[in-house]
Amino acid sequence: MAKILITGANGYIGKRIISVLLEHGHDLVCCVRDKSRFFLPPSIISKLKIIEVDLLNLEDYNSFPEDIEYAYFLVHSMSNGISDFYDLEKKLADNFILWAERIGLKQVVYLSGLKNDFISSLHLDSRHNVEQIFIDSKVPYTILRAGIVVGSGSASFEIIRDLVEKLPIMVAPKWIDTQTQPIGIRNVIQYLSNVLGVKGALNQIYDIGGKEVMTYKEMLFQYAEIRNLKRKIISLPVLTPRLSSYWLYFVTSTNYALAVNLVNSMTVPVVCRDQRIREITAPELLTYKESIKLAFSRVEQNIVTSSWKDSFNMNVSHHFVNDHLQIPTEGCFKNYQEVSLKSKEVPMVINKVWQIGGQKGWFYADFLWRVRGIIDKFLGGIGLRRGRTNKKDIFPGDALDFWRVILADKKEGRLLLYAEMKLPGEAWLEFSIKKRGDKFYFTQTATYRPLGVFGRFYWYVLTPFHFFIFKGMIQNIVDEVRKEKKPPSSRRFLKT
């Protein structure tokens, strides 16, 4: 049993590897930026030591235990900006190595990107720059280079899903014919865990990939085949990287910064140049179709462990949730709605509220919500396409369409959302159950704090829409509950 530090433990890869390392009997220390956003089953959380740190701050490293033996460096910041992530990732790696050399770390395992010796992108250059920092250090390293990672909740899976499910005919950029070697998330985790503590893997760089080399077009067609969808793809060389970025941004759930970085990387052919990793560990590789089917099985079973959409930007304060927990009262506009409930209706209403967003929608005027999402996309926002990670559960920090979950207390019956769409101000949407005397009330409060004169103008222009939308939302939630619990009419059972 070894003592292992996992940086980026709240990320897509980090959350996936935790349970595997626990099964191997290791003692884990998880490094996160905000403990309030770190959610795993209680049976797993109870076995972890969780440390809240900012890896850009050298002083925070003093909180790490001195007896750490191994570490996973799983921190990336590609979605934080179009170019500034390069300097961020360099500083993160420099700080980490200073700490690792001081304590005498036995091995650091880093997940990087596949390399092309002739052409590259800023994203791939950043990953390889971090590699060089590790290589030049005194810390033993194992670097695994992967291309497209396919799994439930991964950025690549969600983007492919958006494209194929929504577009019967795709007019695609020329990079759609670029070759890559996708790998299933299960195989990535197997490789990452199996190289830990292996002497033959120290100070080595390995390429890891799935069974097949294929183009992005082939990936889209194979996904469509699995979903029994007929799709036509037309490749146009006139679509520049900038236009391609906008195309990906408007069609899929990705933000613009991530779209730019993804497109720049997708123009670079990346395949495994050797299979030396198979001499160290040789798990049974999944085909691309098998990875897609496995991803869908987890989606359908509602057991998606992690999603790229739930991560905050490095530019967002790690106290973001706490900062917005207290809704301001001064200088705000509010829309307050209330419906009285019977005591037996309370838990059913709470369950109904916990289904909001994503495929379920917003209970009233979904068309207008979609229009607002489209407008948000055109303004450079995130739109509605992020959906939700889990169909039944909501946790603080989760992305919920163009909202961020600030508080989700099912026991108290309170859900608080903070708006992440483009607004001339700030907005909160709160659902709660209140008890006054012997009576229960379901309340819904939309709070808006305007920024300047235009912010106030925005509210006044949309006030008529707000009145009908918010009133319709709360009433439809209650009506659905009452309709579901109402017994079927006895007339259906009368003999004629």
Side-chain angles (χ1 to χ4, degrees):
M1 182 178 75
K3 193 159 190 176
I4 304 169
L5 176 75
I6 303 177
T7 65
N10 207 22
Y12 180 71
I13 301 292
K15 274 190 173 180
R16 301 289 175 124
I17 200 170
I18 286 172
S19 58
V20 174
L21 295 177
L22 286 176
E23 288 176 4
H24 292 174
H26 296 301
D27 185 10
L28 304 186
V29 178
C30 294
C31 169
V32 299
R33 299 183 73 241
D34 188 349
K35 289 182 181 179
S36 67
R37 293 185 50 248
F38 188 55
F39 290 100
L40 284 170
S43 59
I44 293 179
I45 288 287
S46 62
K47 300 175 183 177
L48 306 174
K49 180 177 177 60
I50 304 168
I51 300 176
E52 187 177 83
V53 296
D54 179 358
L55 294 178
L56 292 171
N57 185 355
L58 267 174
E59 293 183 1
D60 281 13
Y61 284 81
N62 294 329
S63 62
F64 289 171
E66 293 291 324
D67 57 347
I68 297 291
E69 300 172 83
Y70 303 92
Y72 284 92
F73 191 80
L74 302 174
V75 183
H76 301 301
S77 53
M78 186 173 66
S79 62
N80 298 315
I82 297 174
S83 59
D84 57 350
F85 67 87
Y86 186 97
D87 293 331
L88 275 174
E89 291 188 350
K90 180 182 184 304
K91 187 174 181 180
L92 286 166
D94 283 336
N95 286 351
F96 178 84
I97 285 299
L98 286 174
W99 165 80
E101 289 181 336
R102 177 172 61 81
I103 70 162
L105 196 70
K106 293 180 180 179
Q107 182 189 24
V108 56
V109 181
Y110 175 57
L111 182 62
S112 185
L114 286 173
K115 190 172 185 178
N116 185 307
D117 289 332
F118 301 100
I119 55 175
S120 187
S121 67
L122 187 59
H123 155 230
L124 292 174
D125 284 345
S126 179
R127 296 285 172 90
H128 300 147
N129 183 52
V130 172
E131 288 182 15
Q132 196 59 48
I133 292 172
F134 291 158
I135 293 169
D136 293 339
S137 74
K138 299 176 183 178
V139 179
Y141 62 85
T142 302
I143 296 169
L144 303 184
R145 291 173 172 170
I148 293 292
V149 177
V150 183
S152 57
S154 73
S156 57
F157 173 77
E158 297 295 340
I159 288 171
I160 290 169
R161 184 180 180 181
D162 280 342
L163 291 173
V164 178
E165 300 278 356
K166 296 174 181 177
L167 299 177
I169 300 176
M170 283 176 256
V171 179
K174 60 182 179 181
W175 52 253
I176 204 163
D177 293 314
T178 301
Q179 283 194 324
T180 186
Q181 193 167 350
I183 181 171
I185 182 62
R186 175 175 291 184
N187 290 145
V188 172
I189 299 302
Q190 287 171 329
Y191 278 131
L192 284 169
S193 60
N194 291 352
V195 297
L196 187 75
V198 178
K199 288 185 178 180
L202 296 182
N203 300 322
Q204 295 294 320
I205 301 175
Y206 297 109
D207 290 352
I208 61 173
K211 278 187 173 181
E212 307 136 305
V213 174
M214 57 202 313
T215 65
Y216 291 104
K217 181 186 289 185
E218 290 171 327
M219 291 170 64
L220 293 170
F221 276 134
Q222 287 196 22
Y223 178 100
E225 184 180 337
I226 290 171
R227 299 291 286 166
N228 294 318
L229 297 170
K230 291 184 178 181
R231 293 294 182 259
K232 185 174 180 61
I233 300 175
I234 303 171
S235 177
L236 292 181
V238 295
L239 289 178
T240 65
R242 180 180 291 274
L243 290 175
S244 298
S245 301
Y246 282 117
W247 177 75
L248 205 63
Y249 166 68
F250 282 114
V251 175
T252 72
S253 56
T254 182
N255 60 51
Y256 181 68
L258 182 57
V260 171
N261 293 320
L262 284 173
V263 166
N264 289 337
S265 296
M266 286 173 171
T267 60
V268 180
V270 284
V271 298
C272 295
R273 294 178 293 183
D274 61 60
Q275 295 291 329
R276 290 187 305 111
I277 185 67
R278 309 288 294 175
E279 300 170 5
I280 300 296
T281 175
E284 184 177 352
L285 293 178
L286 299 173
T287 64
Y288 174 71
K289 282 188 175 181
E290 288 171 339
S291 297
I292 291 292
K293 289 177 181 177
L294 182 60
F296 263 106
S297 71
R298 296 187 69 85
V299 171
E300 290 165 358
Q301 295 173 53
N302 203 35
I303 51 174
V304 179
T305 305
S306 59
S307 172
W308 72 275
K309 289 184 274 190
D310 288 333
S311 62
F312 283 129
N313 286 333
M314 291 288 292
N315 297 325
V316 177
S317 166
H318 72 287
H319 295 297
F320 176 87
V321 171
N322 292 332
D323 289 345
H324 293 90
L325 191 58
Q326 297 298 323
I327 304 175
T329 56
E330 300 296 327
C332 295
F333 296 107
K334 290 182 181 288
N335 181 292
Y336 181 82
Q337 305 289 338
E338 180 180 278
V339 177
S340 61
L341 300 175
K342 296 177 181 178
S343 60
K344 61 183 178 181
E345 293 176 329
V346 170
M348 292 182 283
V349 166
I350 293 173
N351 287 335
K352 191 65 66 174
V353 170
W354 252 246
Q355 299 171 19
I356 203 164
Q359 293 182 349
K360 178 64 177 178
W362 292 83
F363 290 99
Y364 185 81
D366 274 348
F367 171 74
L368 294 178
W369 285 94
R370 288 194 293 270
V371 169
R372 182 62 180 89
I374 293 171
I375 293 173
D376 192 57
K377 275 280 189 178
F378 275 101
L379 294 175
I382 52 184
L384 284 176
R385 292 192 176 95
R386 287 191 308 189
R388 50 183 292 166
T389 303
N390 195 300
K391 294 180 181 179
K392 296 180 180 179
D393 293 324
I394 299 176
F395 301 104
D398 280 359
L400 186 61
D401 290 337
F402 47 35
W403 300 87
R404 182 70 63 174
V405 179
I406 302 299
L407 184 145
D409 190 333
K410 207 166 187 179
K411 185 177 180 181
E412 295 295 326
R414 186 183 177 207
L415 177 65
L416 177 61
L417 310 176
Y418 177 77
E420 291 190 326
M421 75 282 280
K422 291 290 184 179
L423 285 171
E426 294 180 290
W428 293 257
L429 181 60
E430 180 181 17
F431 302 90
S432 64
I433 301 294
K434 300 184 184 298
K435 185 178 182 182
R436 295 195 289 269
D438 296 331
K439 294 184 177 180
F440 291 90
Y441 296 89
F442 173 39
T443 70
Q444 174 189 281
T445 308
T447 303
Y448 174 69
R449 180 164 61 184
L451 179 64
V453 175
F454 183 67
R456 287 169 170 76
F457 176 75
Y458 172 87
W459 177 265
Y460 289 129
V461 168
L462 293 181
T463 293
F465 296 97
H466 289 159
F467 175 79
F468 290 106
I469 290 173
F470 291 131
K471 185 177 180 65
M473 279 177 61
I474 190 170
Q475 193 59 57
N476 278 4
I477 291 172
V478 175
D479 286 347
E480 280 197 22
V481 166
R482 290 172 177 169
K483 183 178 179 181
E484 289 174 0
K485 72 171 187 170
K486 186 177 180 180
S489 172
S490 59
R491 294 180 183 176
R492 292 170 55 189
F493 303 101
L494 295 176
K495 294 181 179 180
T496 58

